[in-house]
Amino acid sequence: MPLPEPSEMPAPAPKPRTNPLEVYARVFEASPDYITISRLSDGRYIDVNPGFLRFTGWRREETLGRTAQELGVWPDPATRQRFIEHLRSGSDQPHASRLGVRDGSLRDVEMAGNITEIDGEQVLVAVVRDVSDRRLVEAELARHRQQLEALVAARTAALQQANAQLADANGQLAEANLQLAQAHTELQQAHERVLESERETRHQAQHDKLTGLPNRVLLQDRLTRLIADAQRRGALFATLFVDLDNFKSINDSLGHAAGDTVLRTVAERLCATVRRSDTVARLGGDEFIVLLPDVAHGSKVAALAQKILAQLDAPILIGQVACQVGCSIGISLFPDDGDTVDHLIQAADTAMYHAKACGRGNFQFHSGELQRSSQQRITLIHELRQGIAQQQFSLHYQPVVDMASGAVVAAEALLRWQHPQRGTVPPLDFIPLAEECGLIVPIGDWVLDEACRQLSAWHRAGHARLRLALNISPHQVWRGGFAEAVAATLQRHGIAGTSLDFEITEGVPMQAREQTLDTLRRLAGLGLRLLIDDFGTGYSSLRYLQSFPIHGLKIDRSFVQTLSDDPRGLAITGSVIDMARHLQLHVVAEGVETEQQASLLRSQGCSTAQGYLYSRPQPAEAFGRLLASP
Ligand code: C2E
Ligand code: MG
Ligand code: MG
């Protein structure tokens, strides 16, 4: 069904007219606030609304015609007067006050109102709102806020305090840390001091106060270790007991201070004489011990003992007085003379007494055998020196012959030592020792000079084609400047390098140092021939035949001498001769004693030889005669 058009809708029914006073009266009656109308002049109530009655607890009939004062609504006239003045001031703010209710209690209110006229009489219209509850709430709120604020303040204060405490604590912590670090440093320093003092104490316990040398305690320790070490390695070592010869008399005559100076000087000299790895200790009094690890044989020890004797024999200056102290030395050797600390010291001590008994100022070994052998070596070295100085050496010459013609083509110079007591000493008895102690160098220089002098004489005597072969020690080759020295000697005697053969052993090229090669090249450069002596008895490397300037080989006597009986000897000489031919090396057979050996060698193609078959080594004069004979 369609909706009707608005114009078709019926007009609304007119509302009945309402009197405004009735409306006001209804508002007056219904208002939750309470409203009073009282005469301004005396304050008597003209009308009150039900709100007022509910609020105060009075009944309407008890109220009308009475004053608020009488009912105790206004607690005092001044309160009412203040309200009236508030209204007159025209303020649009509610007026706060307190009004009494029937039970006598006071309630907080907010009041508004006005002064108006009813029937020509001035009346006070008061609209009152009970705000007691609100006040209560507000008060409660305020209290809560206060509490809250107090709480916040308290918390803030607490927090601040906590912060302050934290900061304080932090500060204290930092300080504590600082103190801790300081304490740590102090602790460390204290620890260092303790260690240092321990070291100091240990050092003091183990060292002699006067000389600073190890004392008996440390010596025992070192000796114990040395024994263990030597036992493990199968090594030898020596214990030297050094006792001063004239200490007591110096001490007695010049006083203890002088004695102390002597002991300190002796300590210094001993330390300066030995190697760092050796131990010098003071046993007490004027007794010292020297430990020498790793001594190969007695002669090394004897040499050192000799050195110590010389060092302590040198005068010690005390003030203006030069004191001759001197010492006697006893030597024990591990393991021959003992294998405990006590035995070794005891043995050295006994040997020292023996040295004293032998007239002081000397050394003695505990073991006689070693004593003798080392003494012999020392004596021999001493005599070798004398031999050089006193020209006790000479050269013998053994001819080298051409096997086909029997002609003497060369001679080998062989050293002889004419010892004043022992007679002729063969070279093998002294050359190894001379090499060991370095005396081979001056001896070798002498041999070269003497051989060149003699060769020059023979050349001048008409044997211009004669060559000389010299035996050269590896120590001469390894020494710097050898080729230059040779050149100078050749020049001095007017000899051409081509007249000389140098016999070197296989050990020389095996020491394949650049300098060795250089020296050999220089020698070859002088025209000299280099022959390998005792070929086949040394190192078996043949490489040096390729890289070194070698001109020839001397087949060792040991092969030659087995030629006739041992087919292997024959095979060896044959092979060596073959190899030499292929390498274009000159060959000399050594030690040919029989015609059979000579013919075998000849049949193998050997061209030159030397040996007793042709001639023994001869003194120069005899060899000269041999040269001159047909
Ligand atoms: P070497 O150079 O092999 O000299 C040959 C050695 O054999 C010589 O001994 C010589 O007398 C010996 N001899 C020669 N023919 C025969 C023989 O038919 N039968 C036997 N049984 N022996 C024979 P010597 O003179 O005693 O020399 C020994 C070694 O001493 C030499 O062996 C050489 O290595 C070395 N020597 C000799 N003189 C010197 C020298 O002036 N300086 C150097 N550094 N060493 C030298
Ligand atoms: Mg030789
Ligand atoms: Mg030889």
Side-chain angles (χ1 to χ4, degrees):
M1 201 175 68
L3 284 170
E5 289 293 311
S7 56
E8 290 170 26
M9 298 229 315
K15 284 195 178 141
R17 283 186 61 88
T18 315
N19 183 353
L21 279 177
E22 265 176 52
V23 175
Y24 298 147
R26 261 187 248 147
V27 170
F28 183 75
E29 286 299 319
S31 171
D33 295 333
Y34 47 94
I35 304 167
T36 59
I37 302 167
S38 59
R39 269 206 303 262
L40 188 66
S41 56
D42 58 5
R44 286 188 194 285
Y45 287 118
I46 298 169
D47 200 359
V48 296
N49 76 343
F52 175 77
L53 300 174
R54 273 195 309 276
F55 170 62
T56 58
W58 296 103
R59 285 198 302 277
R60 190 176 176 80
E61 56 274 19
E62 289 168 330
T63 309
L64 297 183
R66 298 180 71 181
T67 68
Q69 202 83 45
E70 287 164 1
L71 295 179
V73 174
W74 290 119
D76 55 71
T79 312
R80 181 174 181 259
Q81 198 49 46
R82 275 199 296 277
F83 178 51
I84 292 167
E85 275 161 20
H86 175 80
L87 291 179
R88 283 190 175 137
S89 73
S91 166
D92 55 356
Q93 293 294 311
H95 177 75
S97 188
R98 308 192 87 184
L99 296 182
V101 293
R102 191 168 189 168
D103 64 8
S105 62
L106 288 173
R107 312 276 295 180
D108 286 308
V109 294
E110 277 177 0
M111 303 174 72
N114 61 359
I115 298 166
T116 187
E117 251 180 45
I118 296 178
D119 298 336
E121 176 129 41
Q122 281 210 305
V123 294
L124 175 64
V125 179
V127 180
V128 180
R129 180 168 294 171
D130 183 1
V131 294
S132 287
D133 290 345
R134 203 176 83 200
R135 284 283 138 82
L136 266 175
V137 170
E138 278 173 0
E140 189 67 6
L141 264 175
R143 200 170 54 79
H144 276 303
R145 194 168 52 233
Q146 252 176 9
Q147 280 178 347
L148 209 64
E149 278 172 1
L151 202 66
V152 168
R155 288 276 157 86
T156 309
L159 212 63
Q160 274 171 349
Q161 195 176 355
N163 269 340
Q165 283 173 352
L166 204 66
D168 206 27
N170 268 340
Q172 286 175 359
L173 202 68
E175 183 148 346
N177 269 339
L178 208 68
Q179 286 172 354
L180 203 68
Q182 259 172 7
H184 188 67
T185 314
E186 280 167 18
L187 200 70
Q188 257 181 347
Q189 285 168 348
H191 188 63
E192 275 307 312
R193 281 196 297 274
V194 169
L195 285 183
E196 179 59 32
S197 94
E198 270 178 7
R199 272 196 291 273
E200 184 67 37
T201 314
R202 201 169 39 238
H203 189 269
Q204 278 175 6
Q206 296 183 332
H207 289 80
D208 172 46
K209 224 184 194 165
L210 180 67
T211 59
L213 292 178
N215 61 13
R216 191 184 283 271
V217 177
L218 188 52
L219 173 71
Q220 290 241 345
D221 185 54
R222 297 242 177 115
L223 203 43
T224 308
R225 283 166 200 248
L226 205 54
I227 290 171
D229 182 60
Q231 262 162 352
R232 193 163 38 78
R233 296 190 298 121
L236 307 178
F237 74 86
T239 304
L240 278 67
F241 198 115
V242 181
D243 189 282
L244 304 186
D245 286 338
N246 298 318
F247 180 71
K248 196 173 165 346
S249 64
I250 293 171
N251 210 30
D252 290 349
S253 57
L254 297 178
H256 289 296
D260 287 354
T261 308
V262 167
L263 292 174
R264 273 196 294 264
T265 311
V266 165
E268 279 164 22
R269 287 187 187 176
L270 285 176
C271 290
T273 310
V274 303
R275 290 170 309 180
R276 271 177 166 273
S277 51
D278 303 338
T279 292
V280 178
R282 185 182 168 210
L283 269 193
D286 60 350
E287 296 172 343
F288 296 84
I289 293 277
V290 179
L291 299 181
L292 302 180
D294 288 317
V295 293
H297 42 69
S299 73
K300 262 214 169 127
V301 188
L304 187 97
Q306 198 77 57
K307 238 168 144 184
I308 291 176
L309 286 174
Q311 284 297 319
L312 299 194
D313 209 36
I316 296 175
L317 206 63
I318 293 166
Q320 303 293 320
V321 188
C323 298
Q324 197 82 31
V325 184
C327 69
S328 301
I329 303 173
I331 303 167
S332 65
L333 293 166
F334 171 91
D336 297 8
D337 302 328
D339 55 3
T340 67
V341 171
D342 289 345
H343 282 150
L344 287 168
I345 293 184
Q346 187 56 55
D349 193 16
T350 310
M352 185 276 291
Y353 274 104
H354 183 51
K356 292 260 186 205
C358 291
R360 306 181 157 207
N362 71 96
F363 66 87
Q364 296 294 327
F365 280 89
H366 185 259
S367 121
E369 186 50 44
L370 263 162
Q371 159 105 348
R372 269 189 296 283
S373 79
S374 78
Q375 202 77 54
Q376 276 169 6
R377 289 168 76 91
I378 288 179
T379 310
L380 198 61
I381 291 171
H382 176 71
E383 289 172 348
L384 264 180
R385 281 213 176 84
Q386 275 187 329
I388 298 169
Q390 296 173 7
Q391 302 189 341
Q392 294 168 358
F393 296 100
S394 64
L395 289 177
H396 281 198
Y397 299 90
Q398 185 177 37
V400 179
V401 299
D402 179 280
M403 291 191 92
S405 66
V408 176
V409 290
E412 178 176 3
L414 294 160
L415 186 60
R416 299 290 177 261
W417 180 14
Q418 220 55 51
H419 191 278
Q421 285 89 39
R422 300 181 214 204
T424 306
V425 183
L428 289 178
D429 282 6
F430 66 89
I431 283 181
L433 185 66
E435 287 183 325
E436 208 176 281
C437 68
L439 284 177
I440 191 66
V441 171
I443 291 174
D445 287 348
W446 178 85
V447 168
L448 178 67
D449 191 66
E450 172 60 17
C452 287
R453 189 195 61 75
Q454 185 59 65
L455 183 62
S456 167
W458 284 327
H459 278 181
R460 276 184 272 116
H463 311 289
R465 290 168 59 89
L466 182 72
R467 311 177 58 85
L468 260 193
L470 304 186
N471 293 286
I472 303 297
S473 159
H475 295 268
Q476 290 173 274
V477 180
W478 294 333
R479 183 180 58 144
F482 180 57
E484 289 72 13
V486 171
T489 309
L490 288 174
Q491 201 178 16
R492 196 162 55 246
H493 296 288
I495 299 274
T498 45
S499 302
L500 287 187
D501 290 344
F502 272 7
E503 298 185 8
I504 56 173
T505 51
E506 286 165 298
V508 175
M510 288 314 290
Q511 274 271 347
R513 284 183 289 194
E514 196 48 46
Q515 198 201 330
T516 307
L517 185 56
D518 185 58
T519 301
L520 296 184
R521 282 197 185 126
R522 279 166 192 262
L523 291 173
L526 293 173
L528 285 151
R529 286 197 315 189
L530 298 175
L531 310 183
I532 299 295
D533 204 353
D534 309 334
F535 182 78
T537 59
Y539 299 96
S540 56
S541 167
L542 295 179
R543 194 185 308 277
Y544 66 84
L545 292 179
Q546 248 180 330
S547 47
F548 280 72
I550 303 296
H551 305 95
L553 310 174
K554 293 188 80 170
I555 301 175
D556 190 65
R557 197 172 67 221
S558 57
F559 302 120
V560 173
Q561 281 179 349
T562 56
L563 260 182
S564 14
D565 337 308
D566 186 355
R568 283 175 297 186
L570 193 66
I572 290 173
T573 50
S575 309
V576 172
I577 293 163
D578 264 0
M579 182 186 73
R581 200 179 27 249
H582 289 305
L583 292 172
Q584 292 176 325
L585 294 173
H586 175 69
V587 181
V588 184
E590 282 189 302
V592 181
E593 292 182 352
T594 64
E595 193 50 62
Q596 197 187 7
Q597 291 163 353
S599 73
L600 282 170
L601 286 164
R602 259 196 310 271
S603 69
Q604 286 180 323
C606 183
S607 56
T608 40
Q610 65 184 93
Y612 294 168
L613 174 66
Y614 308 105
S615 165
R616 287 186 174 253
Q618 310 276 332
E621 248 176 67
F623 186 81
R625 280 196 298 274
L626 189 121
L627 277 181
S629 68

